[in-house]
Amino acid sequence: MTTESLLTGQASTEAGTQPATEQTAAPAAAPAGGNPQGQQPAGEVKTEAAAAPEKYDFAMPEGFELNQEVAGEFEAYARELNLPQDRAQAVVDMGVKLMQSAQAKQAEMYQQTQEQWRNEVVNDKEIGGQALAENLSYAAKVLDTFAPDLRGVLDETGLGNHPAFVKAFVKIGKAISEDRLVGGAQQTPGAISDPAAKLFPTMNR
């Protein structure tokens, strides 16, 4: 899930009653030896036992891709239980439903976390409030100058809204800007002019 972060800026009648004078016919006696020929005992239904197919063919909903390794393991298990195609598919459908539920819950938690982080930054006494836009501009300059490729990572992970990350980039941006204003043309010979070198003096040595 990729969304733009602060740092990067950017759902009647009674039937069957016989007259009192009418004699009802006695039921025919069943032949000796059990039920009438050709009839099944009461409550017994003759069915053919379903068996596992030669090869299972599972249907997946849009957006889901069947993991072949896991599918192979499940097919072996289903064949061991002699599950027919429809029953095996029902198990797969239930698995997909559980996964969808877990993903929806995860996405909900992610959004809640991002909203919480954003609110913390917006209401922060140090960098939030009316000064937020200006402070974010300092952070944007750091990204543009030293780590433009980091924008995608910050948006994809959601870390671009994390208060600690936002504060860090704002502070770096301010430090660089203040250094340029103070130093400017008054730098002494041999002074380090690269802002990154001043912030990270041990790098590239």
Side-chain angles (χ1 to χ4, degrees):
M1 180 180 298
T2 302
T3 55
E4 192 174 77
S5 63
L6 289 172
L7 269 180
T8 58
Q10 310 284 26
S12 101
T13 57
E14 294 181 359
T17 302
Q18 299 291 336
T21 57
E22 183 178 344
Q23 299 292 329
T24 57
N35 294 319
Q37 185 177 2
Q39 296 184 6
Q40 294 294 329
E44 182 177 336
V45 179
K46 186 176 181 180
T47 58
E48 294 183 1
E54 294 184 3
K55 180 175 177 57
Y56 288 101
D57 184 18
F58 300 119
M60 303 296 289
E62 185 178 357
F64 276 80
E65 183 176 350
L66 186 63
N67 184 299
Q68 297 302 322
E69 182 178 353
V70 175
E73 294 178 4
F74 175 67
E75 283 192 31
Y77 181 68
R79 197 173 301 283
E80 182 180 345
L81 296 178
N82 201 32
L83 293 180
Q85 173 68 45
D86 59 341
R87 293 187 180 181
Q89 179 68 54
V91 175
V92 172
D93 292 343
M94 179 58 67
V96 171
K97 185 176 181 179
L98 291 174
M99 288 180 61
Q100 289 174 326
S101 177
Q103 288 179 349
K105 184 63 176 179
Q106 185 178 13
E108 180 183 356
M109 293 178 63
Y110 175 88
Q111 292 298 333
Q112 290 177 352
T113 299
Q114 292 297 305
E115 191 65 26
Q116 177 183 344
W117 287 350
R118 283 176 173 267
N119 289 336
E120 288 184 22
V121 172
V122 171
N123 298 313
D124 187 85
K125 295 180 180 180
E126 182 181 354
I127 65 172
Q130 295 181 349
L132 180 62
E134 180 182 356
N135 286 325
L136 290 179
S137 68
Y138 285 115
K141 289 180 181 179
V142 176
L143 286 172
D144 291 339
T145 304
F146 303 107
D149 295 338
L150 192 59
R151 286 181 174 273
V153 177
L154 293 172
D155 286 340
E156 192 171 336
T157 61
L159 290 176
N161 290 319
H162 196 290
F165 273 81
V166 177
K167 286 184 178 181
F169 278 88
V170 169
K171 289 180 179 180
I172 294 173
K174 284 185 174 182
I176 294 175
S177 298
E178 291 173 359
D179 179 77
R180 289 178 177 176
L181 289 175
V182 174
Q186 300 179 4
Q187 291 182 349
T188 58
I192 301 176
S193 59
D194 184 1
K198 290 184 178 182
L199 288 171
F200 312 103
T202 60
M203 292 181 62
N204 299 325
R205 287 189 177 182

